[in-house]
Amino acid sequence: MYKKIFALIVATLILAGLRPAWAQQTKKVARIGYIGNTASTSAMGVEQFRERLSELGYIEGQNIAIEYRYFDGKVERLPAIAAELVRLDCEVIYAIGNEAAGAAKNATKEIPIVISNTNDAVRSGFVAKLEVFSSAIDAGED
């Protein structure tokens, strides 16, 4: 009986001593992969992207990290860029244009991909249908 009480007291003291170490652990920063054509043509879009993230409570350098990659018009570079973002363990990939979206889709089945500036996401095979998205937009939801 005394051994159990002693063991409980020792365990409590050990756990109490670990508490400050738990408090010092930093929260994981989410990583976003960003694929654009060129840095100069993407500058305005990047700024809008950051502003919208900020409106949603995501601040680059504080609670998110953004990995920017540009293919500079050389679509043959896209598979390597998309594979690099997958290796970096990004939580989401933001792909601008059909070529970037296609490379991201081919690089991963696990990481969600957000696509912008596509001609026809359904016809291109990126999504099966847009009904879910269009109903959210029609309802004024973000």
Side-chain angles (χ1 to χ4, degrees), residues 14-132:
I14 290 172
L15 290 175
L18 292 178
R19 223 170 224 285
W22 289 339
Q24 292 173 3
Q25 291 180 354
T26 58
K27 190 187 291 187
K28 183 180 181 211
V29 175
R31 187 181 303 256
I32 299 172
Y34 181 102
I35 305 174
N37 189 352
T38 66
S40 61
T41 58
S42 298
M44 192 166 98
V46 166
E47 192 55 40
Q48 292 171 340
F49 180 65
R50 285 183 186 142
E51 284 176 17
R52 183 62 181 136
L53 286 170
S54 176
E55 291 169 6
L56 296 170
Y58 299 101
I59 310 296
E60 188 175 8
Q62 291 181 12
N63 56 1
I64 60 165
I66 304 174
E67 297 291 341
Y68 299 96
R69 299 295 183 271
Y70 301 99
F71 62 97
D72 299 318
K74 298 174 184 165
V75 293
E76 65 273 9
R77 293 180 55 205
L78 282 168
I81 289 170
E84 179 183 5
L85 293 175
V86 170
R87 278 192 308 276
L88 289 172
D89 204 22
C90 292
E91 277 77 19
V92 65
I93 296 174
Y94 180 70
I96 301 172
N98 285 353
E99 294 88 359
K105 181 182 177 196
N106 291 336
T108 183
K109 302 288 184 244
E110 291 83 28
I111 300 172
I113 303 166
V114 177
I115 305 168
S116 71
N117 298 353
T118 60
N119 298 333
D120 187 338
V122 176
R123 189 173 292 151
S124 298
F126 301 131
V127 296
K129 57 185 174 180
L130 291 176
E131 294 170 342
V132 172

